[in-house]
Every structure is written in C-alpha cells, then in structure tokens.
Amino acid sequence: MRVTKRFLLLLGVLSFALAHLATAQSVTSISKKGHIPADSLFKLVYVPIDVPTGIAELRVKEIYSQQGKNVLNLGIYGPEGYQMGNTAGFRGWSGGAKTEFFLNAQEASTGYIPGKIKPGRWHILIYPSTILPEGIDWELAVSLVPGPDKPAFQLMPAPASVNNQPGWYRGDLHMHTLHSDGKRTPQELVNEAVAQGLDFIVSTEHNTNSANLSWGKYAPKNLLIINGEEVTTTAFGHWNAMGLSPTTLIEWRYTSQDKAVTKYLAQVHADSGLAIINHAFYTKECINGFGFDVKDFDGIEVWNGQWDALDELALKWWDDLLRAGTAKLAVADSDTHTAAPSPNQLGRPQTVVKAKSLSRSGIMQGLRKGNAYLSADNKLRLTLTATAGAATANLGDRLPAVVGKKVQVAFTLQQIPAQAVVTLHGEKGVLFTEQAAIGKAATWHWTVPAGATKYVRVEVRTPQGEMLALTNPIWLG
Ligand SMILES: [Zn+2]
Ligand SMILES: [Zn+2]
C-alpha cells in the first residue's frame, strides 16, 4: 500500500516535471528592437507580432532607455485590426503605467482584455509622451505560450440600477485604479467609496474599458458604479466619456485637426452618456490645455481635486461661456489615484445630482439637465430656487419668462463646515455677497430685478477664497 502510494507520487512529480519541461521548451520568444528619434513625440509606432495557432497566453515586456526621463506608452491590438475605431481589435492599454503585461482566454493584466489568443498578426502600440534629445532605444520581448485555453473570461458588469427612488445623490465622476495609473485595486476603491458615503462612482481609466467588464464582482448593494473612460490624448487633453455600456470603448487616437472627435462624441451620446472636458488647464502656461472645440462637449470639470489656481482658471472659462449664453454642465471630481488620506482623495470634491433614481440613466439624465451642485466633501448640503409669479425653478432648470416680474432667489445652506462667504453670480458678475457662520443652517433671500441677468448661480468659499461649494445655474426666462 505504502509502496503504491509512493510510486504514484513519484509518477505524479515526474509527469508534472515533464509537462512543465515541454511547455518551457515550446514557449516561443520574439524580440523586436528599434529607435525612436527625439522628433517623434506622440508619434504612434505599431510593432507587428505574428502569432501561430495553439497559443494560450501572450506575454509582453517593454524595455527602453532612460525609463523615467523617457516615457514609452504601451498597448496591444489583436488580429481583428488596429485601425482607428476598430474596437474589436483592442486588447488593452496601460500607457506609461506598465512595462509588462499578459493575456489569456480567462485573465489579463489590469488594463488589458482577457480573451482567446487568436492566430494572426497582432500589433503592439508604443509611443513616447516624454522623450529626451537622444531619443529612445526600445525592445519588446514577447513570449508565446502554447497549450489549451483556460475556461473563457466571464463578463460581469456592475448593475445599471441600485434603486428607483428620486433624490439628491452624491458621487465622484473621475478616478483611477490599477486598470490604469491608479494605485488601488477595484475592491479597495469600492471600499473607500462606501466609507466616504458616496452613492455612486464613475470608473474612468485611461483609454481602456477593462475595469468596466468586471465591476459586478465588487459592486456593493447600495453603491452605483457607472462605466466610463478617460479618453486620454496626451497632446490635446483629456475628457471623460461616462454612462457607457460596459463593452463600449471610446477611441483616442486622433488629433484636434482630424475632426474625428465628433464621431466618438456621437458614440458616447448613442450610449446615452456624457462627455466632460477634464482639467482643461493642465498647466498655468496653457491658456487652455484642451485642444478640441468645447461646443461638442456636454460639460467641464471646473473643479479637479483640491481647489487651486488651475481650477480658478477652469471656473473662469466656464463662467465666460455661461455669460456668452453657452450652457455647459459644471462638475467636481477627485481624479483620485491613491488611497485616503491623499491630496486628491475619493469624493473630494464631489458632484451632487438630483436624479429620478439611483441608476445609470437617472444620474446621466440629472447631469444632462444641470440638476447638480459641486461640493468640497460629503458634509455640505444646499438648495437653490428662483421664483417669479407662480413659477419656481430649481437648480439647473429654466424659469419660464415672466415679463416685468422681479425674480426671488432663495438659497439654503445646511451644515456649514467652515466660516464661509456666499456670493450670488449673474452674467455681469457678483450680485450679492453674504457671510455664513460655521455649523448653522441658513437661508438667504435675494430679489433680482427683471431682465438683470440671464442666469443666477452661487459660490460658497472660505474667507481665504478656497471653494466649498458651487452650483450650476438656474436660467431665467
Ligand atoms: Zn486626466
Ligand atoms: Zn484622470
């Protein structure tokens, strides 16, 4: 009995070793090398890789000179093709956040799409977003691992609805996990969203929908997770596509001259989603770091992370558009990459949306209508109404034209978290300024003369000027 057991064990070890040896022996290694000259910043380079039949896993390692000072972005397309707009061919993107990844039928590195390794010509995409004068020497080491496929990847998107209750819902519309350049797992991000008391989050990884395919694994009962993507065109700015179907991928490989962006904005709108311009003023030197025409977008992220001088520029840009009669939704997002406590932690700031339900369509509809205010954290609550005659309009709504009637504006602030200065703004600037005491709830009533302004909106700041809350406008007449 004992001998038989020992013999079987030996046989098992032997066959495992043999199988392992066979696999190791038959892994095909491919090395591709090249040089990118310094004048090729942002230029896309597609490196072809021929994959034979019977391959179960593909592994890629990127090696390049002066890593850190140079940044060589990385992604991959399958045999379905890599042409612009070919989403069937897309198999993942990690930008400058990773230098190696793997793919098989069941799993993939974060940022990449699991699925069968089909035979044919694949293309690895590399491009420099930072490059030294001496250029970049690069190598791609590809391993093709033969064998039977693992069981197929199971799509598990987040539920599109949490409840059917109308209400004001607090959310963060911009964040990153390990699926792009964030430092948290999806589970860690979800845990933090729950701890922050958020009602919803929008998943916005750079140029990939890989996270959206599996949010259902992590979604708790009371947290709505909305699919999105941060469309990241390094040279022309970033924008968030949100409210997407889990398998929707929005293309990013075009310039502001191509006019192609309108096609992809239409794709977002076809999903009943929204397109929001992110951190338009990336640096103080840029007058407007965003290269595309604002008119095609639904909104502007006027508040990204901790309030600073760049947010002040974005606010002015948005306000100038309002004054010119161009209504764009204003949103506040953390753009969080690291766990709390951090300068840009999840939910700071956040956007509070009036919605018919806590669902993807409910939140998108509330945002589309501008029924939203922006808050530094989860404490502050406010209401803004405008009344003329028998008509009353809420935040984001339009007060019907009441000729010759004065407009009564009421603003309520609850749980005032700090000493605050409240200002009512119209198209010609500040209409009223008030002081708010810490801790107390307060309501202010203002009378705006008929025809004095096309809209009213409120800002709440600390006496030092840091933003605490900001409303979208009520349009008058
Ligand atoms: Zn960005
Ligand atoms: Zn971002």
Side-chain angles (χ1 to χ4, degrees), residues 297-377:
F297 289 82
D298 302 294
I300 297 172
E301 182 187 71
V302 300
W303 191 348
N304 175 291
Q306 273 188 329
W307 185 264
D308 63 17
L310 302 181
D311 297 310
E312 212 67 73
L313 289 173
L315 174 64
K316 187 181 179 306
W317 185 40
W318 173 71
D319 194 46
D320 286 345
L321 288 165
L322 289 185
R323 289 177 194 221
T326 307
K328 295 289 168 193
L329 168 75
V331 300
D333 313 322
S334 69
D335 196 1
T336 181
H337 286 70
T338 51
S342 74
N344 286 25
Q345 80 179 53
L346 186 67
R348 298 190 188 181
Q350 57 187 257
T351 302
V352 189
V353 188
K354 186 185 174 193
K356 282 185 180 163
S357 59
L358 183 53
S359 65
R360 185 174 103 194
S361 62
I363 296 294
M364 287 302 118
Q365 194 181 33
L367 286 170
R368 196 174 296 110
K369 287 161 72 179
N371 296 147
Y373 64 87
L374 293 60
S375 173
D377 56 29

Side-chain angles (χ1 to χ4, degrees), residues 124-170:
I124 296 171
L125 170 57
I126 52 175
Y127 88 86
S129 53
T130 304
I131 192 162
L132 291 170
E134 55 265 40
I136 302 177
D137 293 317
W138 59 265
E139 182 187 351
L140 292 170
V142 180
S143 302
L144 304 175
V145 184
D149 280 339
K150 289 185 175 182
F153 169 75
Q154 297 296 317
L155 182 71
M156 211 184 286
S161 174
V162 163
N163 71 42
N164 290 319
Q165 310 300 314
W168 286 88
Y169 291 109
R170 309 185 80 93

Side-chain angles (χ1 to χ4, degrees), residues 174 176 181 206 230-232 237-240 278-279 282 301 304 335 337:
H174 186 170
H176 301 274
D181 55 351
H206 295 287
E230 184 167 18
V231 184
T232 309
H238 301 182
W239 57 277
N240 270 345
N278 293 344
H279 47 69
Y282 214 60
E301 182 187 71
N304 175 291
D335 196 1
H337 286 70

